[in-house]
Amino acid sequence: MKTIIINGIEDELFHTAAQALKDGDLVAFPTETVYGLGANALNPEAVKKIYQAKGRPSDNPLIVHIADISQIEDLVLEVSHKAKALIDNFWPGPLTLIFRKSSKVPDIITAGLDTVAIRMPNNPIALELIERAAIPVAAPSANLSGRPSTTECSHVINDLKGRVGYIIDGGPCDVGVESTVLDITSDIPMILRPGGITLEMLESVVGKVDTDAALELKGNVKPRSPGMKYRHYSPKAEMILVYGSQDDVVAKINELSAENRKKGIKTGVLSSLENAQKYCADTVIVTGSVDNLAQVASGLFDSLRKFDEENVDIIYSETFPERGIGRAIMNRLKKASAKVIKETEI
Ligand code: TXA
Ligand code: MG
């Protein structure tokens, strides 16, 4: 398939892409979180193409993107008071809300669930595209299934060129990690995936918010967001998360790198800005300062993808504080990692 790359809203082919989206083609587009791979949410045949292009398991439901609050009426059974407060505070923005679905939402979007995930992205290109196409747009992250999400057009081209009709270039995404997925179908809202809108921000609007126990990856609790059960976001090399005090982590990673070098194994390190100069590994990728977790989030998937370009055999990653957006960062790093080295093992 020929893939047409479109340079933002001003490109004369932008309108063509919006029409093609409406007519059933796939269009990858930027959002404030990550790039999305869009299809007409009201057309099951179009939505089927998303699963094929990504190689996505069919039991993993999709988020429906809207550009105007009025679009929600057709898609859900009811909008509660708490839902309304969340919408007023955080839309457009990186918050996906789970509602009970109406019969108009095709089953292929919700993977047979009786709920539907909806969000209004805070990105002018995404909003203009959805508005021009005049349909709700089903869109997962625009990466091959299992790979890190895409936060720059070049990432999308790497994964999906030849598999989709159009890719719209909107430059790098601001937030860098996906939206928070929040189930609001019961009285106390529950975070199913931490993301751009933090627990603290949600609680400031609706009071107590729970977090799905399965996110901690302890025991065999089944996650309520189907996508959370898969290994995910992974660079090609095996990644190992190293916990501990800064000095211990640096020393441990340097020790392992030296051992690897003797065996001819190429080592990569995902480092904070603060520690970058202290490593003697083959490749050190800096993802931002521990004092600026928003910056770490913003560069996270690009950093993971860079290890593929460097052809490293093994990656050791530092950990980041699990507060604010740090929860989303650590959730993605845990999902991307095959193993951890605990503080007690150092
Ligand atoms: O920021 C984002 O959310 C990006 C951009 C493109 O909007 N989209 C995104 O989509 O990350 P995706 O498909 O990669 O992740 C959607 C997550 C999955 O974990 C999926 O299982 C969950 O949302 N999800 C979708 N519908 C659901 C539902 N009805 N109930 C529970 N979880 C649901
Ligand atoms: Mg995804």
Side-chain angles (χ1 to χ4, degrees), residues 64-85:
V64 177
H65 296 66
I66 58 174
D68 190 284
I69 194 69
S70 63
Q71 287 179 289
I72 208 175
E73 282 161 28
D74 271 356
L75 304 171
V76 309
L77 292 187
E78 66 152 356
V79 179
S80 66
H81 285 302
K82 279 188 186 171
K84 179 138 195 339

Side-chain angles (χ1 to χ4, degrees), residues 54 56 140-141 143 149 178 193 232-233:
K54 280 190 60 132
R56 180 178 175 106
S141 49
N143 52 281
S149 299
E178 302 83 349
R193 176 177 75 179
H232 234 124
Y233 315 115

Side-chain angles (χ1 to χ4, degrees), residues 29 31 33-37 54 56 60-63 65 94 96 98-99 109-110 113 115-117 119 121 139-143 149 177-181 192-193 224-228 232:
F29 61 95
T31 81
T33 57
V34 300
Y35 276 75
L37 175 58
K54 280 190 60 132
R56 180 178 175 106
N60 192 4
L62 304 171
I63 298 172
H65 296 66
T96 294
I98 308 281
F99 298 88
I109 287 183
T110 60
L113 297 173
T115 54
V116 60
R119 95 174 185 101
S141 49
N143 52 281
S149 299
V177 289
E178 302 83 349
S179 61
T180 305
V181 176
L192 306 187
R193 176 177 75 179
R224 302 201 328 168
S225 178
M228 285 281 110
H232 234 124

Side-chain angles (χ1 to χ4, degrees), residues 279-340:
Y279 291 109
C280 39
D282 299 296
T283 299
V284 179
I285 304 234
V286 179
T287 186
S289 164
V290 277
D291 292 330
N292 186 349
L293 293 177
Q295 181 191 40
V296 173
S298 168
L300 188 66
F301 290 130
D302 184 53
S303 300
L304 294 183
R305 282 174 174 266
K306 281 203 178 110
F307 288 115
D308 292 344
E309 290 161 27
E310 298 286 335
N311 280 314
V312 298
D313 300 306
I314 190 159
I315 303 163
Y316 300 105
S317 172
E318 291 182 14
T319 59
F320 293 87
E322 294 201 36
R323 61 177 139 77
I325 192 100
R327 288 195 190 86
I329 294 169
M330 285 309 299
N331 170 268
R332 305 313 187 264
L333 285 177
K334 287 176 193 170
K335 295 243 138 235
S337 302
K339 290 190 215 144
V340 299

Side-chain angles (χ1 to χ4, degrees), residues 64-208:
V64 177
H65 296 66
I66 58 174
D68 190 284
I69 194 69
S70 63
Q71 287 179 289
I72 208 175
E73 282 161 28
D74 271 356
L75 304 171
V76 309
L77 292 187
E78 66 152 356
V79 179
S80 66
H81 285 302
K82 279 188 186 171
K84 179 138 195 339
L86 291 163
I87 289 170
D88 287 346
N89 278 276
F90 300 120
W91 280 9
L95 177 65
T96 294
L97 297 173
I98 308 281
F99 298 88
R100 287 193 203 291
K101 85 175 190 83
S102 81
S103 57
K104 287 205 179 137
V105 180
D107 283 338
I108 188 166
I109 287 183
T110 60
L113 297 173
D114 60 1
T115 54
V116 60
I118 302 185
R119 95 174 185 101
M120 190 190 291
N122 188 15
N123 174 291
I125 296 179
L127 291 170
E128 182 72 21
L129 180 73
I130 300 165
E131 209 164 282
R132 285 224 201 159
I135 40 153
V137 174
S141 49
N143 52 281
L144 288 176
S145 205
R147 302 265 304 130
S149 299
T150 49
T151 51
E152 293 182 18
C153 187
S154 62
H155 303 160
V156 186
I157 291 173
N158 274 337
D159 275 25
L160 296 177
K161 192 167 176 216
R163 292 171 171 261
V164 305
Y166 299 83
I167 299 174
I168 304 177
D169 188 350
C173 302
D174 291 339
V175 180
V177 289
E178 302 83 349
S179 61
T180 305
V181 176
L182 187 72
D183 186 340
I184 45 164
T185 57
S186 40
D187 192 38
I188 298 178
M190 181 180 281
I191 294 178
L192 306 187
R193 176 177 75 179
I197 300 291
T198 64
L199 174 71
E200 293 82 352
M201 291 160 82
L202 294 170
E203 288 195 325
S204 74
V205 172
V206 288
K208 186 170 167 44

